[in-house]
Amino acid sequence: MRGWWQDLTDLVLPADCAGCGAPRTELCPRCRTALGGAAPRRVRPVPEPPGLPVVHAAAPYAAEVRALLLAHKERGALALAGALGAALAGAVRVGLGPGGPGGARTGRRGSRSVLLVPVPSARWAVRARGHDPVRRMALAAAGELRRTGTPARVAAVLRQRRAVADQAALDARQRLENLAGALEVTAGGERLLAGGRVVVVDDLMTTGASLAEAARALQEAVVSRRNGGTAVYEAVTREGRGEQRMGARTERENWVHGAPEIVAPHVIGETLRAAVVAAPRDSFEINRN
């Protein structure tokens, strides 16, 4: 009901720009340019959590972009979903590369669909906000991708299987520990992942812990299905380079320690990717070979 009412008031009441406060416009040209005026780029946090997929972001998380994301997420500025979704779609498109991973050409007969998997919000947060901001942006991004010739759909197959603490005051290591094993794929969700190019999507990447945990849950579900229901959970700490395994049996080692590039293993057809609207400015500036 709150989301329906917000949609209605957005249509009939004048609004100021959510990014800079310019009068009588939901999103002024300057803030629209800040959000999607530059080409999306690869982003990598420091330290980079093990299992983090290759991530692309549309814009640095600063100034107007930060205000836009907060307005959409926390203040119910639902009319921003289209512009935020378009920016997210651009990050998805760049992350897939020309024709997408594996050389699949988009927009042509027989091309495989892009599956956008949103990082789930806690149920209490969705209730408090009256909407799920990441899922809303993912739906807008899928629509933008289809409009521009890329078959795409949203596969909301992730859910929280236990409560997690508020991440705001946690450092990178604490966020990894807080989220370790917190997500799972819904019953039957692993079947939706077959045959598509999978991209985990979120509004913001800071430490990368949420995206890494989402990737782990997706990979584990697919491996479990291939192994007849046997799940293996591997958590790796950068400091100790140690492993913890919980499950009926140990699978072949998939983590690469000390390598300059840490990517999700190839168990969902091809390398899992991730895309976000924004990331810290310094994560854009890292250039490691």
Side-chain angles (χ1 to χ4, degrees):
M1 178 64 73
R2 177 182 170 186
W4 174 86
W5 178 253
Q6 184 67 50
D7 283 336
L8 180 62
T9 55
D10 284 347
L11 291 175
V12 299
L13 297 178
D16 295 338
C17 176
C20 67
R24 304 187 64 81
T25 176
E26 186 75 29
L27 182 62
C28 73
R30 183 169 69 90
C31 291
R32 188 179 294 275
T33 299
L35 182 61
R41 292 170 53 193
R42 171 83 182 274
V43 288
R44 303 175 78 170
V46 176
E48 184 175 352
L52 181 69
V54 172
V55 186
H56 283 77
Y61 185 62
E64 294 89 351
V65 172
R66 179 178 183 275
L68 292 171
L69 285 174
L70 290 175
H72 177 255
K73 177 186 283 187
E74 305 296 350
R75 299 201 299 276
L78 305 184
L80 293 174
L84 294 170
L88 182 59
V92 171
R93 194 178 296 110
V94 171
L96 292 175
R105 295 184 179 180
T106 60
R108 296 191 177 186
R109 186 176 178 180
S111 61
R112 290 168 300 155
S113 178
V114 175
L115 303 177
L116 304 184
V117 179
V119 173
S121 301
R123 291 175 184 172
W124 66 263
V126 174
R127 289 195 298 269
R129 293 166 179 154
H131 74 123
D132 186 332
V134 176
R135 185 169 183 175
R136 184 179 290 269
M137 284 189 295
L139 289 168
E144 175 67 14
L145 288 167
R146 290 192 299 269
R147 187 185 68 80
T148 54
T150 300
R153 58 191 176 93
V154 174
V157 298
L158 288 173
R159 66 183 178 189
Q160 289 191 347
R161 62 181 173 190
R162 64 168 178 80
V164 297
D166 188 346
Q167 301 251 99
L170 303 181
D171 62 23
R173 182 173 182 175
Q174 290 170 330
R175 289 190 180 201
L176 281 174
E177 294 171 350
N178 183 44
L179 291 174
L183 299 181
E184 66 180 358
V185 171
T186 57
E190 70 279 359
R191 292 194 295 270
L192 297 176
L193 303 174
R197 293 168 289 164
V198 181
V199 183
V200 180
V201 297
D202 207 348
D203 57 347
L204 172 67
M205 184 198 74
T206 51
T207 66
S210 296
L211 295 175
E213 170 59 16
R216 180 210 59 79
L218 294 171
Q219 304 286 15
E220 180 181 280
V222 174
V223 170
S224 176
R225 186 185 182 208
R226 292 181 181 179
N227 292 338
T230 301
V232 177
Y233 168 54
E234 295 180 90
V236 184
T237 59
R238 181 178 296 272
E239 293 79 11
R241 300 286 196 244
E243 293 80 33
Q244 292 179 332
R245 298 180 179 85
M246 295 186 293
R249 63 184 180 186
T250 301
E251 297 294 329
R252 186 180 66 175
E253 186 65 57
N254 278 323
W255 298 114
V256 180
H257 300 300
E261 180 109 5
I262 303 176
V263 298
H266 293 233
V267 298
I268 305 182
E270 53 202 32
T271 304
L272 184 68
R273 302 288 170 141
V276 296
V277 174
R281 189 177 299 278
D282 58 4
S283 66
F284 284 81
E285 298 169 354
I286 300 167
N287 183 17
R288 287 177 285 176
N289 296 322

